[in-house]
Amino acid sequence: MKIVGEGNFRGQIGVWLRPLVFLGHNAITLIGAVITTSAGLTLLAFWAFEILKGGPIHPYAGIVFFLILPGIFFFGLALIPLGVYIRRRKLRSMGTLPAIYPRIDLHNPILRRGFVLVGIATVLNVIILGIASYQGVEQMDSVQFCGQTCHTVMGPVFAAYQDSPHSRVACVECHIGPGASWFVRSKLSGVRQVFAVTFKTYSRPIPTPVKELRPARETCEQCHWPQKFEGDKLVVRTKYQPDEANTPTKTVLVMKIGGHTAQGNVGIHGRHLDTVERISYTSTDDRRQVIPRVTYLDDDGKTIEFNSAELISNSAQLAAGEHRKMDCVDCHNTPTHAFQLPERAVDQAITDRHISPQLPYIKKKAVELLRADYPDRGTATQQIARGITEFYRTTYPDTYRDHRALIESAAQTVQKIYLRNVFPEMKVTWGTYINNIGHEDFLGCFRCHDGNHTSADGRTITQDCNACHSVLAMEETNPEVLTQLGLQ
Ligand code: HEC
Ligand code: HEC
Ligand code: HEC
Ligand code: HEC
Ligand code: HEC
């Protein structure tokens, strides 16, 4: 039998296409083509809509359009060759696979139009695939996706994030950072997390520390150049007493932030961070709070080992502990997911005058209501508002009559503090997340600087009150130093 057009280019294509056309004639391939085409058209329509509408879309719509629809699209696309393959195997096993496929008669207008359609569809598919995968990745990297899609799970961290100095920094800048390898690692663990959320197998609260966090040197230092730290930072902290007048007291500290100076590495940042790894430690609990051993590379290049006799119980426990090089996150473990404690949050709100110190006992009352147990967030907000208004109505009727607006705004602020920090459904409450900066509320710096970590040659990790800060005033009502500095 002579094959029409054999030898010329069109003929070659004919030889190629014949089996495809013949074998493609099966249910699976056709269903695949229909699925792909309809998913593709929906995507195209949606992109047109998105361009016209502008602005970010709802996170759930994002999941459907950037992840699920492209998934369906790929699925349909995969069915097409699968159908061809299955039909071929089946025909071969039945012995009916033609040695020469029936010829394609390009004079047949229906077939010709069919080819044109397939050609156009292929070009469109390539474009759609490109855009869809790009947008899928972009969507997964967005703050909305990370923070809001699984809102029960991420509710606590997202609330804290929005109210933090990093609220304009995307989640991925700290959690993934630049480069392909962490990107892939994070996407793999992301897939696991999607399963955890789907089947509700995630732990409540989400455990910290994050074990697979990219080293801070590669993320934080994109924006905070450690060589740049220098000098001191004045910290003025106002607290209000739980008395009738909400008496304010002030603590004034000069934090010796330090860094790299002509004298070498000084102060808080200079001592722990360097161009080389300076400090590493072993912790024996899963929250990095119990630190029996610390190794330190001193200025002479000598490695010193500090051990806490109190914390080391045996060497097996030490060997099983976590060994870690110290970086930013060991002190700044909550640079953006900073949960508050009731006393501090109320102090801050009074300082900002969202809560008026004119209201008698407001500090005491607010903290009391925040610390109470509530079954859920809805009940909590109701009872907080009722608690505050009832208190003034019954105990201070004059205040209640004259300052209704102040009472209402105080009640709203206290509700907000509660909602920002307590999430019963995630088992997140006051103090669930530890903050390692400082030593008042949690162990923090005193995990190592407790005066008990000593070396064989008799050195101790310092607990000198003036090593980290000068305490210029401690809970004074009228610190002289602030007057001298012209700050009050
Ligand atoms: C400024 C950097 C930074 C940004 C921006 C950031 N994170 Fe984090 N995040 C961290 C660090 C550091 C930790 C690790 C705390 C630890 O290991 O103790 C963390 C921990 C977490 C945890 C574990 C629970 C916890 O509170 O420690 C979750 C969940 C999380 N981040 C989600 C997010 C989401 C969602 C966003 C965006 C809305 C985001 N993060 C933005 C730095 C950041
Ligand atoms: C994409 C840039 C970026 C990255 C990455 C980043 N930060 Fe920041 N950081 C900022 C900006 C912007 C501010 C706010 C400066 C301001 O408000 O003056 C800030 C502020 C801070 C502050 C001061 C907070 C305060 O209360 O004043 C600390 C501490 C800090 N960052 C630590 C970190 C740590 C730790 C990491 C890594 C886990 C990190 N940052 C990653 C941009 C970044
Ligand atoms: C040993 C603990 C420790 C380590 C490690 C550490 N910091 Fe700090 N950092 C502090 C303390 C303490 C302060 C002062 C906090 C305060 O009182 O506001 C501070 C302040 C800061 C500030 C605010 C500076 C300002 O002028 O307000 C930034 C930004 C910061 N750190 C970033 C980093 C980055 C980035 C790293 C890692 C390269 C890092 N820190 C490592 C303890 C540490
Ligand atoms: C993992 C253990 C560890 C933690 C946690 C830690 N440090 Fe240190 N720090 C050390 C070691 C080790 C040294 C060096 C030994 C020394 O000088 O006492 C040091 C030295 C210092 C120095 C220099 C002291 C001097 O006299 O030169 C300062 C300041 C300091 N740390 C501040 C802090 C602050 C502030 C925090 C908490 C935010 C903190 N450190 C948390 C281990 C730690
Ligand atoms: C290893 C470093 C270090 C040592 C040693 C140290 N502090 Fe602090 N201290 C800090 C840091 C960091 C903060 C937190 C600053 C902040 O919250 O911005 C802090 C905060 C404070 C505050 C303010 C607490 C508050 O309510 O905000 C007081 C008061 C204080 N320290 C007193 C002391 C005294 C007294 C000593 C001696 C026993 C001491 N510190 C030793 C690092 C240290």
Side-chain angles (χ1 to χ4, degrees), residues 271-272 279 281 296 326 331 445 447-449 461-462 467-468:
R271 272 297 146 205
H272 303 85
I279 297 179
Y281 66 85
Y296 173 61
M326 190 167 186
C331 296
C445 313
R447 288 173 297 164
C448 301
H449 291 268
I461 304 181
T462 181
C468 307

Side-chain angles (χ1 to χ4, degrees), residues 14-37:
V15 172
W16 261 86
L17 275 180
R18 268 188 232 170
L20 278 187
V21 172
F22 177 73
L23 294 171
H25 210 78
N26 70 74
I28 298 180
T29 300
L30 291 179
I31 290 173
V34 170
I35 291 179
T36 307
T37 318

Side-chain angles (χ1 to χ4, degrees), residues 146 154 157-158 166 169 171 174-175 208-210 213 333 336-337:
C146 305
M154 285 297 144
V157 291
F158 191 60
H166 291 108
V169 176
C171 319
C174 295
H175 283 279
T208 43
V210 180
L213 200 69
N333 66 327
T336 195
H337 314 297

Side-chain angles (χ1 to χ4, degrees), residues 188-218:
L188 288 179
S189 89
V191 169
R192 215 174 50 227
Q193 284 152 16
V194 169
F195 274 103
V197 170
T198 315
F199 301 110
K200 300 217 182 315
T201 55
Y202 51 84
S203 31
R204 278 162 262 208
I206 301 180
T208 43
V210 180
K211 290 270 155 48
E212 291 132 82
L213 200 69
R214 184 173 190 173
R217 308 215 75 123
E218 298 166 23

